[in-house]
Amino acid sequence: MFEIEVNNLTKYFEQRVIFEKLSFLVKKGQKVTITGASGKGKTTLLRMLAGVIAPDEGCISFNNQVFNSQTAHIIRQQIAYLPQGIDLMVSNGVELAQLLQIEPKSAFSYLEKLLLSPNIMQQPFAEISGGEKQRMLISLILSLQRPILFLDEPTSALDKNSSEKLMDLIWSNPNISMVSTSHNPEWEERCEQVIQL
Amino acid sequence: MSAIQDISLLNLCLSFLALLIPIAGFWYFRVGLTRATLIAVARMTVQLSAVALYLEYIFEQNNPYLNSAWVVIMILVGVFTTLKRSNLNPKMLALPLIISAVTSIVIIDAFFLGVIIRLPYVFESQYFIPISGMILGNAMNHNIVGLNAYFEGLTKNQNLYYFLLINGHSKKQAVNPFIVQALKKALNPMIANTSVMGLISLPGMMTGQILGGNSPATAIRYQIMIMLAIFTGCSINLMLSIILGNKTAFDRMDRISSDVIVKNPSRKQKRLK
């Protein structure tokens, strides 16, 4: 299980303050969401936690290990990440599974829990809906079996029923620490901590 | 075999008349390429005439330092042209590209001139300069396509790169789909060209040798060798440029540098200003 500590994180963008001296703690197994209006820096903060955007000040640590160039790869191997706006240059789920170096079969149980048939993995992305694509991607990253989840707007393309199934699936595992961004009130309600930007 | 028929200066001037036909076509279809064609032809004529003068001198001297200096100039011109044409940042990528070009030339010249042709003197200007030039010229064209595809692909599709990186891939694994795409884009045309060589194209070196009075059998042996040298040289150069470029185009946290692509305003934008 992982604990994530954020200390005095500050980010400027062209002299505009995105957030300043932001500190919070994600306890082991805790589910946290970042909320705020569009453009407030939710995705920026999530990508910063994953080390792909540099903060102007402050630091992040995972289980007391500071996230830096020496530890980045080891820490990232504990993370499963869902990006926002899923356009990943590949044509279907099987190709994406190959890129992630996982067996497509390992995602089948998650696909079923999210109300999808395993056959959807072979279907071209162009022929499936945004919601189906999002659930397939979530199934793939969950099958990585990582203790940390970073989810950027995980329910943005899902209907109420699929959103509930996803929440049930994620909250069924108390060992996973999660940081997400969301505009979904039900999602926020289930999170143990809400970080308002 | 008869000796090569020389072209008189007057006849060479007459050969420019052939351009009247495409230019008439451009005028008829209102293509707007006439000015660009005339500038390109004028540049080509001046550049080749100047090169002929230098080469006459260099060939006469046949000095290893002078020959190597000429190849170094070709490398530098090739590298900076590649960077400019692919909109890449020279501060970040000039050194990796120079190292790649030098390495590929050393390997190719040592193997093909020293081992295959078995020249007693590898820096012999008659072989060293034209063969290095052919490899560098081809490598430049393929590097422009390959490096542009690689770095443009990485910056435009950062989502995929960061998706793989955050999900635990190493930088080496996360850039692999982009390397595959760049190598395919750059080298596929050369593979296609190689496969039809002799059927729908008679290559320049072979034509030159036959015109120079060599037998077609010798010309073909040289052509096969040069095709192998060009393919190997271009592949080594492009792969090394990507590998070494990866060392400077990313920061220590494996983030792609935002400065790797030079953001020039397009011609259209310039016109609007």
Side-chain angles (χ1 to χ4, degrees):
Chain A
M1 288 221 281
F2 269 79
E3 186 177 80
I4 307 162
E5 197 177 349
V6 173
N7 269 317
N8 294 320
L9 217 57
T10 300
K11 183 70 187 169
Y12 304 104
F13 182 69
E14 291 174 355
Q15 294 171 338
R16 186 167 68 96
V17 179
I18 306 290
F19 37 81
E20 203 167 21
K21 299 209 179 293
L22 183 70
S23 298
F24 60 90
L25 177 73
V26 181
K27 292 180 192 156
K28 287 177 181 175
Q30 203 177 37
K31 316 286 188 272
V32 172
T33 196
I34 307 160
T35 62
S38 299
K40 283 280 181 185
K42 300 187 293 295
T43 298
T44 303
L45 177 57
L46 196 65
R47 287 164 74 95
M48 212 174 267
L49 295 181
V52 298
I53 294 180
D56 292 306
E57 280 169 39
C59 77
I60 300 154
S61 45
F62 292 77
N63 282 358
N64 296 322
Q65 200 174 19
V66 176
F67 197 15
N68 57 29
S69 57
Q70 266 85 47
T71 59
H73 183 52
I74 303 161
I75 289 173
R76 283 177 187 144
Q77 282 178 319
Q78 307 301 321
I79 298 171
Y81 165 66
L82 173 80
Q84 194 185 4
I86 304 151
D87 175 20
L88 294 169
M89 238 175 80
V90 286
S91 53
N92 63 28
V94 175
E95 274 185 35
L96 196 54
Q98 280 166 352
L99 276 181
L100 285 167
Q101 297 175 349
I102 48 176
E103 276 292 317
K105 262 191 266 177
S106 61
F108 287 179
S109 65
Y110 296 107
L111 286 169
E112 279 162 8
K113 282 175 189 158
L114 294 175
L115 312 171
L116 285 175
S117 153
N119 294 335
I120 202 157
M121 294 284 285
Q122 270 106 23
Q123 279 184 259
F125 282 154
E127 289 174 16
I128 62 176
S129 73
E132 287 171 322
K133 204 157 64 167
Q134 195 165 25
R135 279 180 284 161
M136 185 204 292
L137 198 56
I138 292 168
S139 303
L140 282 169
I141 63 153
L142 287 176
S143 63
L144 289 167
Q145 306 278 357
R146 302 281 169 78
I148 303 167
L149 277 184
F150 286 163
L151 307 177
D152 200 353
E153 301 280 2
T155 60
S156 61
L158 305 188
D159 58 32
K160 199 171 185 306
N161 194 20
S162 307
S163 294
E164 276 169 13
K165 292 285 174 194
L166 175 62
M167 286 189 264
D168 291 344
L169 184 58
I170 288 171
W171 266 266
S172 68
N173 191 338
N175 296 325
I176 290 179
S177 309
M178 179 198 76
V179 182
S180 62
T181 69
S182 182
H183 284 114
N184 181 339
E186 283 145 22
W187 183 275
E188 279 174 39
E189 212 167 280
R190 285 186 76 161
C191 285
E192 287 93 339
Q193 194 185 160
V194 176
I195 294 151
Q196 180 73 41
L197 290 185
Chain B
M1 286 284 163
S2 57
I4 191 162
Q5 183 77 30
D6 201 3
I7 304 172
S8 71
L9 206 56
L10 180 67
N11 284 5
L12 184 64
C13 292
L14 278 177
S15 69
F16 283 85
L17 290 176
L19 282 177
L20 290 175
I21 299 166
I23 286 172
F26 297 158
W27 175 80
Y28 180 77
F29 290 110
R30 298 174 194 278
V31 188
L33 282 178
T34 309
R35 196 177 131 85
T37 306
L38 291 176
I39 291 172
V41 168
R43 279 191 61 165
M44 177 269 292
T45 310
V46 172
Q47 282 161 199
L48 286 181
S49 306
V51 166
L53 289 177
Y54 298 145
L55 287 183
E56 287 267 1
Y57 175 74
I58 287 171
F59 276 41
E60 211 171 89
Q61 299 295 314
N62 202 13
N63 176 304
Y65 298 109
L66 202 59
N67 293 349
S68 303
W70 181 252
V71 171
V72 168
I73 290 169
M74 289 198 286
I75 287 173
L76 293 176
V77 172
V79 164
F80 284 98
T81 308
T82 303
L83 291 167
K84 194 177 173 196
R85 295 278 298 278
S86 20
N87 293 330
L88 296 174
N89 187 339
K91 280 183 195 157
M92 209 169 269
L93 293 166
L95 189 62
L97 264 65
I98 290 169
I99 296 171
S100 309
V102 171
T103 310
S104 64
I105 279 295
V106 169
I107 293 171
I108 297 300
D109 282 346
F111 181 67
F112 285 96
L113 301 184
V115 179
I116 304 298
I117 305 181
R118 304 193 79 78
L119 288 179
Y121 174 54
V122 176
F123 293 103
E124 181 69 50
S125 53
Q126 188 191 349
Y127 292 86
F128 180 59
I129 291 175
I131 288 179
S132 302
M134 286 181 86
I135 293 160
L136 288 169
N138 279 280
M140 183 185 81
N141 291 332
H142 292 93
N143 268 1
I144 289 171
V145 176
L147 292 175
N148 188 264
Y150 179 65
F151 286 108
E152 281 267 347
L154 259 178
T155 44
K156 280 188 182 160
N157 299 294
Q158 287 187 18
N159 257 354
L160 175 62
Y161 172 72
Y162 287 127
F163 173 71
L164 296 174
L165 191 76
I166 301 172
N167 280 305
H169 282 47
S170 63
K171 181 178 90 181
K172 198 173 142 195
Q173 292 169 319
V175 295
N176 200 57
F178 300 94
I179 295 180
V180 170
Q181 212 175 41
L183 292 182
K184 278 185 178 169
K185 201 168 176 186
L187 300 177
N188 259 340
M190 188 159 40
I191 294 169
N193 190 32
T194 306
S195 69
V196 296
M197 190 64 66
L199 293 175
I200 58 168
S201 65
L202 266 190
M205 187 186 201
M206 187 176 136
T207 312
Q209 283 215 343
I210 294 171
L211 285 175
N214 275 326
S215 75
T218 308
I220 280 168
R221 279 201 288 270
Y222 265 89
Q223 188 58 47
I224 291 172
M225 186 209 72
I226 198 71
M227 289 302 295
L228 295 172
I230 287 173
F231 188 81
T232 314
C234 289
S235 307
I236 294 173
N237 198 337
L238 179 56
M239 287 188 278
L240 264 183
S241 298
I242 292 175
I243 291 168
L244 299 178
N246 280 346
K247 308 251 179 236
T248 55
F250 293 80
D251 70 9
R252 294 175 69 200
M253 292 285 278
D254 298 333
R255 295 178 283 241
I256 308 159
S257 165
S258 56
D259 301 329
V260 72
I261 303 272
V262 179
K263 291 168 190 84
N264 280 335
S266 67
R267 279 184 192 169
K268 200 175 168 186
Q269 284 170 318
K270 275 183 185 166
R271 274 206 303 273
L272 286 174
K273 282 178 187 173

